[in-house]
Amino acid sequence: MSGDGRGGGWTEEPRSEAANTVRVLLVDDQPLLRRGFRLILEAETDIAVVGEAGEGALAVELTRSMLPDVVLMDIRMPGMDGIEATRRIVREGAATHDPRVLILTTFDLDEYVIEAVRAGASGFLLKDSPPEDLLAAIRIVAAGDAIVAPSVTRRLLDKFALRLPAVRESVPPPGLDSLTDREREVLRHLARGLSNAEIAAELVVSETTVKTHVGNLLAKLRLRDRVQAVVYAYETGLSRPGQPS
């Protein structure tokens, strides 16, 4: 283990690990909070904490050198904030090992979370979430899926919908007209925060069929995951604040 004093960060030397081990980088400007997260994660046999950073620039640098699978990212930090750090990590990582960013937010819903998700984050987690939720979120994001908790997602998007670009009423946005009617329907349900199983129940189809539709619409719209699909649905007007969930 080594530390350089910048941003309160430390790193472990790169090491060989089991192929299924999830490598995590902790990014938060509160050392005690990072310590708490590290204690929780290091108790798991399939998760390895490979480094810590107290500000965004160091997080970007450590992501390059440590190649984490998941970056647990705070938003409000001195220097480079979590939004810009997320944008750079996702952009640079796309050409290397495709790291996933899981955003940490406060209970009162940080207004910058949506910007971070649009920057490429794969989801967000409340800082006071139970340890089991933290562990589950990291594993889900590492597996290539996204965290879209229905209640938190809807509250965030509804509260900050005014920050999204104006909805284009007359001309369909790029990609939307390429979706089938069923794919649009699935996208609307995604925007409500429903899981594949819940969407299958709503549409009276198999979960496998829903997974196929989700994969197809993500590919057609060139979206990375379900979180970006939710934001896309709001940006295009396919889902609107205040609609019943």
Side-chain angles (χ1 to χ4, degrees):
M1 183 188 306
S2 64
D4 57 14
R6 293 173 297 164
W10 62 266
T11 66
E12 292 183 357
E13 298 302 324
R15 62 182 183 278
S16 299
E17 294 161 345
N20 60 348
T21 298
V22 179
R23 297 169 58 84
V24 178
L25 174 66
L26 301 177
V27 185
D28 195 291
D29 64 345
Q30 299 181 45
L32 287 178
L33 195 56
R34 295 200 308 267
R35 170 77 174 175
F37 285 139
R38 181 155 58 91
L39 289 174
I40 293 171
L41 300 184
E42 288 184 338
E44 303 299 307
T45 59
D46 63 332
I47 296 177
V49 177
V50 297
E52 294 183 13
E55 50 88 24
L58 181 57
V60 174
E61 181 181 330
L62 293 183
T63 299
R64 295 191 195 109
S65 61
M66 303 308 301
L67 302 179
D69 301 304
V70 176
V71 180
L72 199 59
M73 178 76 74
D74 189 18
I75 292 182
R76 301 186 183 189
M77 296 180 291
M80 183 188 296
D81 64 20
I83 296 172
E84 180 59 27
T86 295
R87 185 176 293 111
R88 296 190 186 189
I89 286 171
V90 171
R91 183 175 63 238
E92 295 182 9
T96 56
H97 67 297
D98 195 25
R100 297 301 175 114
V101 178
L102 184 59
I103 296 295
L104 294 169
T105 183
T106 54
F107 181 74
D108 59 349
L109 301 179
D110 195 310
E111 64 186 278
Y112 301 109
V113 167
I114 287 298
E115 293 181 28
V117 170
R118 293 172 68 189
S122 292
F124 44 86
L125 191 71
L126 298 178
K127 284 189 174 182
D128 61 352
S129 295
E132 57 269 25
D133 288 356
L134 170 65
L135 296 171
I138 289 173
R139 291 179 176 119
I140 289 171
V141 168
D145 208 336
I147 299 298
V148 186
S151 61
V152 177
T153 301
R154 289 305 299 254
R155 286 164 60 196
L156 270 171
L157 289 172
D158 286 353
K159 184 174 181 181
F160 301 112
L162 293 178
R163 299 174 64 87
L164 298 176
V167 174
R168 288 159 287 188
E169 299 288 355
S170 56
V171 181
L176 188 59
D177 56 357
S178 69
L179 301 184
T180 65
D181 290 342
R182 180 46 63 94
E183 287 166 352
R184 290 192 189 205
E185 192 173 10
V186 170
L187 180 55
R188 290 190 186 95
H189 287 307
L190 280 181
R192 293 170 54 199
L194 300 187
S195 66
N196 286 345
E198 291 168 333
I199 296 174
E202 289 272 345
L203 301 181
V204 195
V205 297
S206 71
E207 189 171 347
T208 298
T209 297
V210 173
K211 289 180 180 178
T212 299
H213 287 314
V214 171
N216 288 341
L217 71 88
L218 291 178
K220 288 181 179 180
L221 300 176
R222 297 183 179 181
L223 300 175
R224 191 182 192 196
D225 51 39
R226 299 167 75 97
V227 172
Q228 291 193 348
V230 171
V231 175
Y232 177 90
Y234 272 74
E235 289 180 328
T236 59
L238 199 62
S239 184
R240 297 176 183 275
Q243 287 182 339
S245 59

